[in-house]
Amino acid sequence: KLQQDFKCCGSNSSEDWHYSTYIMSEESGDRLVPDSCCKSQTPSCGRRDHPSNIYKVEGGCITKLEQYLADHLLIIAVVGIAVASLQIFGMIFTCCLHRELKWTFADRK
């Protein structure tokens, strides 16, 4: 799915797949790369390792993923800060509630 979404093949290049366990196994069906590397998804399209058929992105999926994270870093940071703020607010509210309940039950004795 990652290779299809980012239109890339392999960590650094499509050659990363050449000696992988999957490609070396019988399950691969003589594919050179997984079908997820193909520009147009057809059954067993990974048998043809040609630039017209395979995503040959310089830097591979790692570069694409790094760029995606860099492009969305502000959103990731804002969501992280919002979640942390909610947790801190929850802890403060819990402490206040505990303190109020402690005083309420202390007055009854």
Side-chain angles (χ1 to χ4, degrees):
K1 182 87 175 133
L2 178 90
Q3 293 182 139
Q4 294 167 348
D5 290 346
F6 287 126
K7 297 182 174 154
C8 58
C9 184
S11 296
N12 297 305
S13 71
S14 60
E15 293 178 11
D16 292 341
W17 287 107
H18 290 173
Y19 300 105
S20 72
T21 306
Y22 170 71
I23 295 300
M24 302 291 250
S25 72
E26 290 180 28
E27 184 183 333
S28 73
D30 295 328
R31 288 177 179 84
L32 299 172
V33 293
D35 291 344
S36 59
C37 287
C38 298
K39 291 179 181 177
S40 57
Q41 293 281 317
T42 57
S44 300
C45 63
R47 289 182 178 168
R48 225 178 59 124
D49 186 16
H50 190 269
S52 66
N53 184 44
I54 305 296
Y55 291 113
K56 298 264 187 181
V57 179
E58 192 169 318
C61 292
I62 289 178
T63 304
K64 291 272 197 161
L65 185 60
E66 286 174 350
Q67 186 62 48
Y68 177 82
L69 290 174
D71 292 345
H72 295 86
L73 189 60
L74 180 62
I75 295 169
I76 294 167
V78 167
V79 169
I81 291 170
V83 169
S85 299
L86 283 171
Q87 289 182 343
I88 290 170
F89 176 74
M91 290 185 332
I92 292 169
F93 180 74
T94 302
C95 289
C96 292
L97 182 62
H98 177 269
R99 189 170 150 201
E100 186 65 33
L101 289 173
K102 187 177 175 182
W103 285 344
T104 301
F105 286 114
D107 290 342
R108 288 185 179 179
K109 290 183 181 182

